Amino acid sequence: MTRFLFAVIVSLMSMTATAKSIVVLGDSISAGYGIEVAQGWVALLQKKLAEKAAGYTIHNESISGDTTAGGLARIDRILTLHKPDIVIIELGANDGLRGLPPKLIKSNLAEIAHRVQLVGAKVLLLSMRIPPNYGKRYTDLFYTIYPQLATELGVPYVPFVMEDVALTKDMMQADGLHPNAQGQPAIADKVWPQLLPLLK
């Protein structure tokens, strides 16, 4: 074996050993519904990582319309496939829109997070809200799932990830539920401060 070939092999092995993986497990908000994938907040977050925390690759495992039950059904395969260091969980809104019991939503999210932690990966929880027409009691119960779960599991969470977007007409699509391309940077900026400590 030549010295050059040996050096190439050592370099490749080093890159493999230091490469780190982040998985985003989400629904349409993370899948880039209604916009180009490259415009989505996940793609923008990858650009931030390239500039400020090189060595991390994001795998976007988000599916429009997905629920916490769907995420739970997929998480084991995803963990095996990507072997992530960090998993960003953005699920629950579709459960809420279907009026599913908050206890069930919380249980599913807790089990997803538990399985992530079992493989030694870190969890970042992104919280969502649902429209007020579902009634104050239900919407309050829904929103408190996220801070409660974050406290119980000892994981960081982002309070309503669309807080700076949802009520800004120019940042939302016509359906009033999904952010447009103009709203994506605000979401990425909301996630970044909570993700940054997990990269260390």
Side-chain angles (χ1 to χ4, degrees):
M1 183 182 297
T2 67
R3 289 185 179 180
F4 174 75
L5 182 57
F6 179 75
V8 170
I9 292 173
V10 170
S11 177
L12 289 172
M13 290 176 64
S14 176
M15 288 173 62
T16 301
T18 58
K20 293 184 179 295
S21 171
I22 298 173
V23 163
V24 177
L25 181 68
D27 50 35
S28 57
I29 301 301
S30 301
Y33 175 88
I35 61 173
E36 295 292 331
V37 173
Q39 297 176 316
W41 72 264
V42 177
L44 297 178
L45 198 65
Q46 179 68 77
K47 289 182 180 179
K48 281 182 178 285
L49 287 166
E51 295 169 359
K52 302 179 181 180
Y56 281 90
T57 299
I58 295 182
H59 303 280
N60 194 350
E61 289 284 351
S62 302
I63 299 176
S64 292
D66 205 8
T67 62
T68 57
L72 180 55
R74 297 190 295 123
I75 190 60
D76 290 340
R77 178 191 62 79
I78 290 169
L79 294 174
T80 300
L81 178 63
H82 298 300
K83 297 178 173 54
D85 297 274
I86 301 168
V87 176
I88 300 174
I89 304 172
E90 180 273 304
L91 287 170
N94 289 311
D95 300 64
L97 293 174
R98 297 179 185 184
L100 297 180
K103 285 185 178 180
L104 175 61
I105 302 171
K106 183 180 178 182
S107 175
N108 287 341
L109 288 171
E111 183 59 25
I112 292 170
H114 177 63
R115 294 189 190 185
V116 171
Q117 291 175 322
L118 277 179
V119 301
K122 299 173 184 177
V123 173
L124 176 58
L125 193 61
L126 307 189
S127 61
M128 298 297 295
R129 284 190 183 275
I130 55 174
N133 56 294
Y134 282 77
K136 187 177 187 305
R137 182 176 181 277
Y138 184 79
T139 54
D140 285 351
L141 285 171
F142 175 84
Y143 185 64
T144 56
I145 288 171
Y146 299 94
Q148 287 177 357
L149 197 56
T151 299
E152 291 169 11
L153 297 177
V155 302
Y157 86 106
V158 178
F160 188 31
V161 72
M162 289 177 52
E163 183 177 4
D164 301 321
V165 178
L167 297 180
T168 305
K169 188 176 180 180
D170 291 344
M171 291 185 177
M172 295 295 290
Q173 296 182 39
D175 62 8
L177 295 173
H178 297 94
N180 60 26
Q182 285 71 34
Q184 302 297 320
I187 298 175
D189 289 345
K190 189 87 170 174
V191 174
W192 179 252
Q194 297 299 330
L195 176 62
L196 189 57
L198 301 182
L199 303 177
K200 299 176 181 177

